[in-house]
């Protein structure tokens, strides 16, 4: 390692990216901190969890303690046009989108990476809990974090080899408690800072309130139906409901009913019994294979259908049009359009796509 190896660390004012910067500085890299100023609704700038004035001040303090340069990049417009619009379009199409996927693909690992490379950086690092392993031929493999409870490989299934060759993930080799201990060792003010869980641009609010202000036309009433088409009630906008939801449906039934799916074409909310909830197969689109190579044959994998779900065994069959068919060994609940299905082989994350 030489001082000439330059790395830009995407900083957020949180403990993970702070420790990423500290570890890289300790390892002898030439480190620069970079933080994005993201879009917020007018008047809610102090509530955007990714770039509040307090978060920015924390990141600056960390950079000062580590004695590294620190830059702020204005990403408001590109964030609004890509990530927020993706969120709105997904709900307009009857999906439950995960905007973190679009943010990682287009904002962190395209927009910000380009800024890092323009500064002469060899690598960009983030505080994601994931690991990279070098393989033959220069290929880079993505592995789950040592701390499985914090693993974020699910939201990084969108990364391709041309991005991974510039990527570093310093915290993926450590359990979270050790990351906080490292922050204390370096005297970083973020050591005890709480983790952020919500979508940054929602400013801590329920997503329904955000949709009501920014896309009220999709919150149109429609019918609540059983799987066989019987109308049993009225909903107040498909976006107000989540797959698997039981409470708050507003329909009388002798047995508990759950949201099974949404039909955006007919504006119908389909509900059914617990036994009707499971599915044994799904199709995913916009599939990204981390290796850059589409598997030639169907293969066995453990599949995760949402960030908080456990992996379950399945057969994954690549299809034309950048799609896959996933057939599960046993029925799974809450497979949701707009979320990602991500494929694993042991610790290795192979890729994933959007459930349709």
């Amino acid at each position: 390692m030489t001082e000439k190896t330059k790395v830009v660390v995407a900083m957020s004012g949180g403990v993970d990216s702070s420790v990423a910067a500290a570890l890289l500085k300790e390892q002898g890299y030439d480190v620069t901190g970079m933080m994005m100023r993201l879009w917020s609704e007018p008047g809610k700038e102090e509530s955007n969890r990714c770039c509040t004035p307090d978060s920015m001040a924390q990141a600056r303090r960390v950079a000062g303690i580590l004695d590294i340069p620190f830059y702020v990049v204005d990403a408001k417009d590109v964030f609004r046009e890509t990530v927020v619009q993706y969120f709105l379009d997904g709900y307009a199409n009857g999906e439950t989108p995960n905007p973190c996927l679009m943010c990682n693909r287009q904002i962190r690992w395209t927009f910000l990476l380009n800024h890092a490379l323009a500064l002469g950086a060899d690598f960009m690092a983030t505080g994601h809990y994931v690991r990279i392993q070098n393989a033959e031929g220069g290929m880079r493999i993505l592995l789950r974090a040592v701390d499985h409870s914090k693993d974020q490989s699910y939201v990084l299934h969108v990364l391709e080899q041309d991005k991974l060759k510039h990527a570093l993930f310093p915290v993926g080799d450590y359990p979270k408690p050790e990351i906080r201990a490292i922050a204390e060792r370096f005297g970083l003010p973020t050591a005890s800072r709480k983790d952020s869980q919500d979508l940054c641009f929602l400013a801590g609010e329920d997503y329904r309130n955000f949709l009501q202000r920014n896309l009220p036309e999709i919150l149109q009433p429609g019918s609540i139906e059983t799987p066989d088409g019987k109308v049993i009630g009225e909903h107040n906008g498909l976006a107000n409901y989540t797959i698997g939801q039981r409470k708050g449906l507003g329909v009388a039934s002798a047995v508990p009913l759950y949201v099974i799916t949404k039909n955006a074409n007919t504006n119908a909310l389909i509900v059914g019994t617990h036994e009707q909830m499971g599915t044994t197969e799904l199709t995913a689109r916009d599939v990204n294979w981390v290796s850059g190579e589409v598997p030639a044959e169907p293969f066995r994998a453990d599949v995760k259908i949402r960030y908080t779900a456990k992996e379950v065994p399945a057969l994954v069959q690549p299809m034309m049009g950048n799609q896959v068919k996933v057939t599960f060994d046993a029925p799974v609940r809450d497979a949701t359009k707009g979320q990602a299905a991500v494929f694993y082989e042991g610790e290795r994350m192979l890729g994933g796509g959007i459930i349709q």
Side-chain angles (χ1 to χ4, degrees), residues 65-285:
I65 291 169
L66 298 178
D67 192 26
I68 62 174
F70 179 76
Y71 298 95
V72 176
V73 178
D74 188 346
K76 292 194 294 292
D77 290 343
V78 67
F79 185 85
R80 174 64 179 84
E81 293 164 3
T82 56
V83 177
V84 179
Q85 195 59 49
Y86 177 81
F87 179 81
L88 295 174
D89 289 345
Y91 275 107
N93 293 327
E95 299 181 345
T96 304
N98 185 335
C100 296
L101 304 176
M102 181 59 68
C103 186
N104 277 302
R105 186 195 295 273
Q106 297 292 350
I107 304 301
R108 280 194 183 91
W109 290 100
T110 299
F111 177 84
L112 191 61
L113 175 60
N114 287 341
H115 275 74
L117 297 177
L119 278 181
D122 301 291
F123 296 99
M124 188 176 84
T126 68
H128 282 104
Y129 282 81
V130 66
R131 292 176 291 156
I132 283 184
Q133 182 181 86
N134 293 319
E136 293 183 5
M139 181 182 293
R140 308 201 85 194
I141 294 171
L142 270 179
L143 303 176
R144 293 192 290 186
V146 166
D147 189 340
H148 279 197
S149 69
K150 291 294 181 180
D151 175 59
Q152 293 173 298
S153 58
Y154 178 89
V155 296
L156 294 179
H157 82 265
V158 296
L159 296 187
E160 298 122 345
Q161 287 295 311
D162 64 334
K163 309 292 174 58
L164 286 172
K165 71 180 181 181
H166 296 293
L168 295 175
F169 301 108
V171 305
D173 291 312
Y174 300 89
K176 183 66 177 227
E178 193 167 343
I179 291 298
R180 294 199 181 277
I182 293 172
E184 291 179 357
R185 173 165 67 86
F186 280 98
L188 303 181
T190 54
S192 59
R193 191 174 175 89
K194 291 184 178 179
D195 294 337
S196 175
Q197 302 291 338
D198 299 328
L199 297 179
C200 60
F201 59 88
L202 294 185
E205 277 194 314
D206 190 291
Y207 76 94
R208 298 171 182 87
N209 297 332
F210 183 85
L211 292 174
Q212 184 66 58
R213 290 191 300 272
N214 291 276
L215 201 66
E217 60 271 22
I218 71 166
L219 300 175
Q220 299 298 318
S223 61
I224 299 178
E225 303 176 7
T226 60
D228 59 5
K230 180 181 178 182
V231 177
I232 60 173
E234 182 178 89
H235 66 75
N236 59 5
L238 292 181
N240 288 320
Y241 303 84
T242 58
I243 303 301
Q245 179 178 334
R246 174 185 172 186
K247 296 182 179 180
L249 300 183
V251 293
S253 173
V255 295
L257 296 177
Y258 303 81
V259 175
I260 296 177
T261 189
K262 306 174 187 180
N263 189 330
N265 293 327
T266 62
N267 194 30
L269 186 72
I270 313 303
V271 302
T273 64
H274 183 274
E275 291 73 23
Q276 293 172 309
M277 289 184 65
T279 183
T280 56
E281 64 180 44
L282 60 80
T283 303
R285 56 176 167 80

